Amino acid sequence: MKVNYEKLRPLTQELRSALCTNEAAAHLNRAPQTLRQWAMRESGPIRVLRVNGRLAWSVADIKRVMGVQ
């Protein structure tokens, strides 16, 4: 899934509690594969959530890492 950066909601306006890997990577300015590596190695600054076998990334954790209130 490609992320349309023009439609990407700012973190300060994000209402969801978790984002898919591609959206989280876009906010973090990282490649989606980097986040997948973090999940596999459990080594990144954000812990992954696994929901029915899919990866999800906490908006609160992304905000914390990015310094957004």
Side-chain angles (χ1 to χ4, degrees), residues 13-31:
Q13 298 175 6
E14 185 59 64
L15 302 176
R16 296 173 288 177
S17 60
L19 301 176
C20 70
T21 300
N22 289 343
E23 290 174 323
H27 280 295
L28 293 165
N29 196 28
R30 297 286 180 260

Side-chain angles (χ1 to χ4, degrees), residues 35-48 50:
L35 275 67
R36 292 183 190 103
Q37 290 289 328
W38 291 350
M40 183 184 71
R41 296 180 180 157
E42 297 182 355
S43 64
I46 300 174
R47 299 285 308 222
V48 67
R50 288 184 169 84

Side-chain angles (χ1 to χ4, degrees), residues 55-68:
L55 302 180
W57 303 88
S58 167
V59 171
D61 286 347
I62 295 169
K63 286 180 179 180
R64 176 184 49 80
V65 168
M66 298 302 294
V68 175

Side-chain angles (χ1 to χ4, degrees), residues 3-18:
V3 175
N4 183 345
Y5 289 96
E6 293 176 4
K7 293 185 178 181
L8 190 64
R9 183 176 295 180
L11 283 175
T12 55
Q13 298 175 6
E14 185 59 64
L15 302 176
R16 296 173 288 177
S17 60

